[in-house]
Amino acid sequence: MKLIHISKTFFPGSSKEVKALTDINLTFEKGEFTTLSGESGSGKTTLLNIIGGLERPTEGKIFFDGLELTALSDEQMADFRLHHMGFIFQAYNLISVLTVRENIGFIMKLLDYREDEINNRINELASVLQIENILDNLPGQISGGQQQRVAVARAVASKPKLILADEPTANLDSKNSQRLMEMLRALNEKEQVTVIFASHDKYVLAESKRTIVLDDGAVIEDR
Amino acid sequence: MYKIAGQLAWKSLMRRKTRTWMVITMIAMSLSGLLLLQGIYDGMVSHMINTAIRSDSGEISLYASKYRLEKNLDYRIGNLEDIKKYLDKQNMIDAYVIRLAQEGLAATAHKSLGAILKGISLEDERRFGNFDTFLSQGEYSFGDKDREALVGFKLAEKLKATLGSRLIFTAQDANGEINAIAFRIKGIVKTGGLAIDEGSIFISMEKMAEFLSLSGAATQIALRIKNESKIKNVQNALQREFESIDVLRWDELYPLLIQMREMMDVFNMVSYMIVFTIAALGIFGVILVSILERVREFSIMLAIGTPYQNIRHQIVTEAFIMSLFGYVLGAFSGGILLLYTASSGIDFRYFEAGLESFGLNAVLYADIRGYYFLQAFGAVFFATLLSVLWPLRVLKKIKPIEAIQGKML
Amino acid sequence: MEFSPRFETYVLLSKKDKTVGSMLGGIIPSKESSLSHLKHALIKGAYLEGNDTRAIYLGSDLAKRLDVDVGEEIAMIGSSLDYSTAADLFTVKGIFRTGLFEFDSTSAFANKAYLDNIMMSKNKASYFTLSFLDNQAAAKYVNALKDKLPRTCEALSWQMLLSTLVQAMQVDSLFGYISISIFFLVIFFVIMIFSYVSIYARTRQIGLLRALGFTPKDIRILLFNEMLIIAFFSVTLGGIIGAAVTYYFEIHPLVVSGLAETYKDYGIISDALPTRFDLFTISWNALSIFILNLTSILYPIYKINQLSVTEAMRHV
């Protein structure tokens, strides 16, 4: 994945104008486990959203496997996300009326996977993420740490090429944060899925293979 | 994909059971109320039409032309035998009656009032429209020597006459002479039709012919037609056969009843519109709130790639599931209410006299027609559609990014 | 109060070969004109006067039935008070139309002073009609008169005389009430749904209040008071708007052209739909909605008080 001359300005032209990102150029390889880091307001979440197509850059282009994502329409982008990307958000990111099992299988269902394929995949992920015993619970009945693991399971279930995680540990205690990261790392190695975080959590940073530090909308470190 | 939306819709409704039930109950109760109202109103009009047909006009009535305007014996049907011969041959005609009427003054010892004296055959009237069932007091008979009469109950009341009272009727006969005839009241009839209840006296055809010095003539011949859809055909055939006679259908003779029916239809429509516009507001409230409280959930669904149509479909399905349940429940309970009211009626005895002035009985029976349920379905459907329009606009404004930034929480 | 005696009898009226039974009323023209609409109902010719002799004032439909016009002569046959036959010739002086079909087709009036000569009814009347400035006073007078009058006379209010009309009005309102009760039912549910939803949106806040020491009773009072305020303002606003609209239509009635033409036989004589600005009806309806408002939140309040404090605080 390639980001070329990405800039993002909020409220352009108005008095509230904010330059969130200026001229970002980055390349991500398949199987990366990377964290976008930086202080609050450094632009890391904005960059992640732009990568995920949830927001459009003011300038610049993004290519994924040769496809120009920035040229896609909103609907095409949504379809692209459905097929190729997985998302993990801070919290409350499950569908409250569906059980854990149904939440994990949700995207696969949207993609018209067969029932047995979905069930096999759910069981497989449940054992990796240690959530076998809560598969039939509703999100409201399980802990925050468990919820985040379910969100991870849902994000990787359909084997997307890219997983984007925005502060996935923000609402977790240290023990749960560590476990979540270990599991994500294991999935990354086992399934060769590319994972990009936006986080300044030390557990996330500790597990990352590559860290990109942003400050005031620009990359100041890439290691 | 629609299957997922349907599942989500169902589960969301189940999660907010009380709310869902409130909407369903609202639709069901207003629907059954409206169905009952419609049934009763239609039943009232049908009853009036039925009474008018049975006691007076039949499906078709024949009058000498001008008679209905002039009410004068000069305009009478004379060629009675020809007409009878013709009518007897028609197999579309179930029954017919021949009546001879004249306006005049009815008097008791205390009071005199304008009235219409009608010569009829009791047996024919019974076959024609079960006229005997309208008898409220006394006997369905003109006595041994045809010297007695049946009187409309309002007329009897106004004349302060009761069974056995003596009445004198004064009128002009066929020769223009003023004549009087006396008889006793044998029975009192109550049809619900004003013309009969307030102003008619019935005596035997023979006595009437004698009184008016006029035999082999009639002022009205009323016909019952076997098949409702054939009324117009029979009318046209009769008109061709007897050109000098007015051949009129009941709805031409009682335009007010048709107007009432139309008015009731309009009234029912307006009721439906008002009730379901308000009901739409109720559905709207629930759907809107259910969207607003799930903005975050929807935006996450959008962010992970759920197509917008899928969510829209979910919302619409939620609304329609509630409506459908409400409709089924309402149609069912309304149907039962209607069935009950159609067979046992609702008793409005307290309003009896008022209802009578409309030509109705104290017990009102409902009509049941299939189209009520169709119309009700249409109303529920449109109310639901109306109620989701605005919420869907709200939904459209949700951007996946907002959930992540927590803007809308 | 105004009053006038009337003498009423049933007679046969004829013109050539047409004979029609009719009510013939002897009236005092000057007194009658301030009591009833008879004078204003004139459509052709002239109204009666005190010195008229053989003049008759005919209902429009009666005139049509007799096929007579103003200025023509008709014969009258009836029985006078001494049971002898009374007959005379009258000239049609005027034709009236009240819109009451029955009345217009069976009523005729003559000067009482003259009619008394023929009918032997001098110093006699069938009845007196009384008109009150204040409608409420009628009932009181009826009772007072009952005591004063000799046994052979009775005093009746218009409600008793026109009992059918009164009951027809009742039936009309019966159906009105049935319809309105369905409207109220659905309004009740809509308010209940909205209050339920808005109360539930505050479940966590209510849970917090409970945690801080509010009892379910306090919650009930709190929510009920809120509804009281909302209901008061909405009903006041609705009442004012509704009243304004009604008031407007009372002054400028809705006109449906062709209405009078279509229904002329049924006593409707104007295209305008009269609207009545009636404070009683308005306040009655407003009060009903107000009470509806308050009862509709009982269930939502009950439901929310069923939740335990912790359930409420964890509510999503």
Side-chain angles (χ1 to χ4, degrees):
Chain A
M1 173 175 246
K2 263 195 180 139
L3 280 63
I4 303 166
H5 300 304
I6 293 293
S7 294
K8 176 72 179 176
T9 310
F10 288 111
F11 316 113
S14 80
S15 57
K16 289 191 285 180
E17 186 177 292
V18 180
K19 275 197 182 271
L21 297 172
T22 31
D23 197 27
I24 307 276
N25 293 287
L26 286 168
T27 306
F28 300 98
E29 299 300 332
K30 188 173 163 57
E32 267 194 30
F33 199 72
T34 302
T35 301
L36 305 173
S37 180
E39 300 292 309
S40 296
S42 61
K44 57 182 190 299
T45 296
T46 306
L47 184 57
L48 194 76
N49 289 340
I50 287 175
I51 295 171
L54 298 172
E55 248 173 281
R56 292 190 174 272
T58 320
E59 275 169 58
K61 288 177 178 177
I62 301 174
F63 290 92
F64 189 92
D65 275 355
L67 176 74
E68 190 190 340
L69 296 186
T70 35
L72 297 179
S73 71
D74 280 355
E75 251 164 60
Q76 287 169 322
M77 194 59 222
D79 194 56
F80 184 83
R81 284 201 297 272
L82 180 63
H83 284 86
H84 305 294
M85 290 182 178
F87 285 86
I88 304 165
F89 303 110
Q90 282 188 24
Y92 303 117
N93 78 68
L94 302 177
I95 299 166
S96 54
V97 294
L98 297 181
T99 62
V100 167
R101 180 188 295 281
E102 289 163 335
N103 262 294
I104 300 173
F106 185 73
I107 292 178
M108 294 181 82
K109 267 196 174 172
L110 282 176
L111 291 172
D112 278 333
Y113 278 80
R114 283 203 320 274
E115 204 65 31
D116 56 325
E117 276 180 304
I118 297 174
N119 279 329
N120 290 341
R121 181 70 175 149
I122 291 171
N123 293 336
E124 183 189 344
L125 288 169
S127 84
V128 175
L129 295 165
Q130 298 169 19
I131 47 175
E132 295 114 310
N133 53 338
I134 54 163
L135 280 179
D136 293 316
N137 290 16
L138 288 173
Q141 298 164 327
I142 59 176
S143 74
Q146 288 170 325
Q147 283 190 24
Q148 279 308 65
R149 273 180 273 157
V150 175
V152 170
R154 182 183 63 194
V156 300
S158 61
K159 301 195 177 168
K161 292 176 181 155
L162 177 66
I163 288 178
L164 302 175
D166 185 19
E167 308 270 13
T169 57
N171 288 341
L172 299 181
D173 58 24
S174 56
K175 198 178 123 211
N176 271 313
S177 299
Q178 211 168 351
R179 263 171 82 184
L180 185 77
M181 287 313 294
E182 282 165 11
M183 286 168 184
L184 269 170
R185 185 68 191 263
L187 281 169
N188 165 253
E189 273 161 19
K190 191 167 160 252
E191 310 205 337
Q192 281 301 302
V193 54
T194 312
V195 185
I196 303 174
F197 295 94
S199 178
H200 55 261
D201 186 1
K202 61 181 179 199
Y203 297 100
V204 180
L205 294 172
E207 292 287 337
S208 299
K209 290 182 202 162
R210 175 182 174 195
T211 306
I212 298 166
V213 185
L214 287 110
D215 188 37
D216 212 6
V219 178
I220 53 166
E221 201 183 334
D222 188 351
R223 57 160 195 264
Chain B
M1 192 175 85
Y2 284 160
K3 207 178 133 199
I4 304 171
Q7 273 176 1
L8 277 170
W10 178 256
K11 286 185 167 156
S12 303
L13 289 178
M14 285 301 106
R15 182 155 175 240
R16 307 286 193 203
K17 279 202 193 74
T18 314
R19 224 190 257 177
T20 309
W21 271 113
M22 278 182 186
V23 174
I24 292 177
T25 320
M26 169 184 74
I27 296 173
M29 286 181 79
S30 22
L31 195 61
S32 41
L34 282 173
L35 283 171
L36 185 64
L37 197 69
Q38 190 172 21
I40 290 181
Y41 286 172
D42 274 4
M44 274 163 45
V45 180
S46 297
H47 176 84
M48 288 156 109
I49 292 172
N50 187 273
T51 303
I53 289 178
R54 281 172 53 207
S55 63
D56 181 30
S57 65
E59 275 82 14
I60 290 175
S61 267
L62 312 183
Y63 294 95
S65 40
K66 278 200 179 170
Y67 172 79
R68 284 188 336 105
L69 275 176
E70 304 288 339
K71 295 275 163 66
N72 191 307
L73 285 181
D74 291 349
Y75 307 103
R76 60 187 183 236
I77 301 172
N79 48 337
L80 216 49
E81 289 310 314
D82 295 347
I83 298 178
K84 270 159 94 177
K85 232 179 263 168
Y86 176 83
L87 294 178
D88 286 333
K89 272 189 292 181
Q90 307 302 310
N91 55 3
M92 284 313 297
I93 295 170
D94 213 14
Y96 65 89
V97 287
I98 295 166
R99 302 194 183 110
L100 182 59
Q102 175 66 317
E103 290 183 1
L105 201 65
T108 60
H110 319 281
K111 217 173 171 183
S112 52
L113 278 174
I116 299 170
L117 189 68
K118 285 182 182 171
I120 58 167
S121 150
L122 287 180
E123 204 34 58
D124 287 354
E125 292 287 349
R126 191 206 302 271
R127 249 183 300 129
F128 178 82
N130 299 321
F131 196 64
D132 51 318
T133 56
F134 291 125
L135 192 79
S136 75
Q137 280 179 60
E139 275 177 58
Y140 186 69
S141 150
F142 292 142
D144 297 336
K145 292 179 183 162
D146 275 357
R147 281 201 185 138
E148 285 163 289
L150 302 181
V151 179
F153 88 100
K154 263 269 136 91
L155 180 64
E157 229 168 64
K158 282 190 190 164
L159 287 169
K160 297 194 173 149
T162 53
L163 288 179
S165 295
R166 212 169 103 95
L167 286 184
I168 295 171
F169 190 86
T170 315
Q172 216 174 6
D173 68 12
N175 307 320
E177 306 288 331
I178 305 276
N179 262 341
I181 182 175
F183 38 75
R184 290 192 183 277
I185 298 176
K186 186 78 171 176
I188 288 176
V189 291
K190 188 171 179 177
T191 61
L194 288 188
I196 291 184
D197 291 351
E198 287 201 330
S200 293
I201 303 168
F202 298 92
I203 60 169
S204 80
M205 193 64 179
E206 293 73 27
K207 211 63 187 169
M208 187 67 178
E210 190 185 308
F211 171 56
L212 295 179
S213 320
L214 184 69
S215 61
T219 47
Q220 178 194 16
I221 300 174
L223 321 173
R224 295 303 300 269
I225 310 299
K226 276 179 191 152
N227 189 338
E228 206 176 319
S229 59
K230 292 278 159 50
I231 296 177
K232 272 199 173 145
N233 301 355
V234 177
Q235 181 191 24
N236 292 336
L238 277 163
Q239 193 65 79
R240 273 196 304 275
E241 186 73 24
F242 305 104
E243 279 175 356
S244 62
I245 286 175
D246 283 349
V247 181
L248 295 162
R249 295 190 313 272
W250 67 268
D251 51 318
E252 294 169 313
L253 291 164
Y254 289 96
L256 179 63
L257 291 177
I258 295 297
Q259 275 169 1
M260 272 189 79
R261 185 179 261 178
E262 280 163 7
M263 250 165 69
M264 288 296 182
D265 283 346
V266 171
F267 185 82
N268 282 329
M269 282 280 269
V270 172
S271 301
Y272 263 100
M273 267 167 55
I274 295 177
V275 168
F276 276 96
T277 310
I278 307 171
L281 204 65
I283 309 173
F284 158 80
V286 166
I287 295 292
L288 183 66
V289 165
S290 84
I291 287 179
L292 290 180
E293 70 186 6
R294 285 182 293 178
V295 163
R296 192 185 163 91
E297 193 164 307
F298 287 144
S299 40
I300 284 169
M301 284 169 71
L302 286 171
I304 63 176
T306 313
Y308 169 75
Q309 296 92 304
N310 197 297
I311 296 173
R312 186 179 61 196
H313 198 77
Q314 178 185 341
I315 298 297
V316 174
T317 311
E318 280 181 29
F320 275 97
I321 287 177
M322 286 193 285
S323 303
L324 202 69
F325 268 88
Y327 171 74
V328 171
L329 211 65
F332 185 72
S333 52
I336 289 178
L337 278 174
L338 278 176
L339 276 177
Y340 175 80
T341 321
S343 60
S344 310
I346 299 183
D347 199 333
F348 286 111
R349 206 158 293 282
Y350 178 71
F351 298 95
E352 186 166 9
L355 287 165
E356 269 164 4
S357 74
F358 283 93
L360 291 166
N361 292 334
V363 180
L364 297 181
Y365 294 91
D367 266 10
I368 309 179
R369 303 221 175 95
Y371 78 81
Y372 294 173
F373 296 93
L374 223 64
Q375 190 179 338
F377 186 81
V380 174
F381 185 85
F382 276 108
T384 315
L385 218 55
L386 197 71
S387 67
V388 294
L389 288 180
W390 179 257
L392 285 181
R393 278 180 51 140
V394 173
L395 184 71
K396 187 94 200 178
K397 285 190 195 134
I398 297 177
K399 294 275 181 308
I401 187 71
E402 285 164 347
I404 295 124
Q405 293 175 338
K407 260 191 203 163
M408 286 182 87
L409 254 188
Chain C
M1 183 189 79
E2 310 244 9
F3 72 94
S4 173
R6 273 192 196 174
F7 174 73
E8 234 176 65
T9 180
Y10 281 84
V11 298
L12 285 174
L13 296 174
S14 14
K15 158 89 192 299
K16 284 186 203 153
D17 51 352
K18 287 196 176 103
T19 305
V20 174
S22 161
M23 189 277 289
L24 179 62
I27 54 171
I28 299 171
S30 54
K31 283 204 164 187
E32 195 69 36
S33 63
S34 57
L35 265 174
S36 66
H37 288 297
L38 217 48
K39 187 177 178 182
H40 304 288
L42 178 83
I43 54 170
K44 206 168 180 192
Y47 178 64
L48 297 171
E49 274 162 52
N51 53 8
D52 278 344
T53 51
R54 287 179 170 166
I56 195 163
Y57 193 48
L58 281 183
S60 58
D61 294 286
L62 183 60
K64 218 182 280 169
R65 284 166 73 195
L66 283 165
D67 195 18
V68 291
D69 210 336
V70 174
E72 293 188 67
E73 238 177 22
I74 52 175
M76 181 276 292
I77 307 166
S79 55
S80 61
L81 284 183
D82 64 355
Y83 300 108
S84 63
T85 303
D88 202 355
L89 284 174
F90 281 88
T91 307
V92 179
K93 185 171 185 193
I95 292 174
F96 65 88
R97 181 187 187 82
T98 60
L100 299 168
F101 176 74
E102 236 195 283
F103 191 73
D104 291 345
S105 64
T106 59
S107 308
F109 293 94
N111 182 11
K112 186 173 186 304
Y114 176 73
L115 198 64
D116 285 347
N117 293 330
I118 316 170
M119 294 292 175
M120 313 286 179
S121 54
K122 195 156 265 171
N123 205 20
K124 290 193 170 70
S126 309
Y127 55 84
F128 280 78
T129 48
L130 287 76
S131 161
F132 297 89
L133 293 173
D134 177 10
N135 243 335
Q136 311 292 330
K140 260 187 261 165
Y141 254 89
V142 166
N143 285 329
L145 281 170
K146 265 183 188 159
D147 299 334
K148 294 268 158 56
L149 288 170
R151 276 261 186 97
T152 50
C153 298
E154 51 184 356
L156 297 169
S157 66
W158 69 271
Q159 285 101 328
M160 298 179 212
L161 280 168
L162 299 175
S163 63
T164 325
L165 184 66
V166 171
Q167 273 166 322
M169 281 163 66
Q170 281 177 354
V171 170
D172 193 53
S173 18
L174 169 73
F175 291 129
Y177 289 141
I178 294 177
S179 300
I180 280 204
S181 62
I182 297 179
F183 299 160
F184 278 7
L185 179 81
V186 61
I187 292 173
F188 173 80
F189 269 100
V190 169
I191 302 173
M192 181 157 86
I193 288 167
F194 273 82
S195 48
Y196 177 82
V197 161
S198 62
I199 287 174
Y200 256 71
R202 290 159 53 193
T203 308
R204 268 195 271 188
Q205 182 207 338
I206 288 166
L208 187 67
L209 289 174
R210 289 278 301 280
L212 291 175
F214 270 57
T215 62
K217 194 183 161 201
D218 294 333
I219 300 287
R220 191 159 57 233
I221 292 169
L222 172 80
L223 293 174
F224 200 77
N225 282 339
E226 282 180 17
M227 189 46 139
L228 212 62
I229 295 167
I230 296 172
F232 178 77
F233 280 107
S234 55
V235 166
T236 309
L237 190 69
I240 289 171
I241 294 172
V245 172
T246 324
Y247 189 66
Y248 176 84
F249 280 119
E250 187 183 55
I251 299 169
H252 312 278
L254 208 61
V255 172
V256 182
S257 54
L259 188 75
E261 188 54 34
T262 315
Y263 290 98
K264 65 176 178 210
D265 288 345
Y266 311 113
I268 294 170
I269 45 173
S270 154
D271 277 346
L273 289 175
T275 305
R276 183 148 164 241
F277 175 77
D278 180 6
L279 274 178
F280 175 77
T281 309
I282 292 167
S283 27
W284 191 88
N285 275 309
L287 188 70
S288 309
I289 293 283
F290 187 71
I291 292 168
L292 216 62
N293 252 307
L294 297 184
T295 44
S296 68
I297 60 156
L298 295 180
Y299 181 69
I301 291 179
Y302 166 79
K303 279 294 278 190
I304 199 123
N305 270 334
Q306 290 297 99
L307 293 177
S308 72
V309 179
T310 45
E311 274 172 334
M313 292 198 42
R314 268 196 282 127
H315 188 85
V316 241

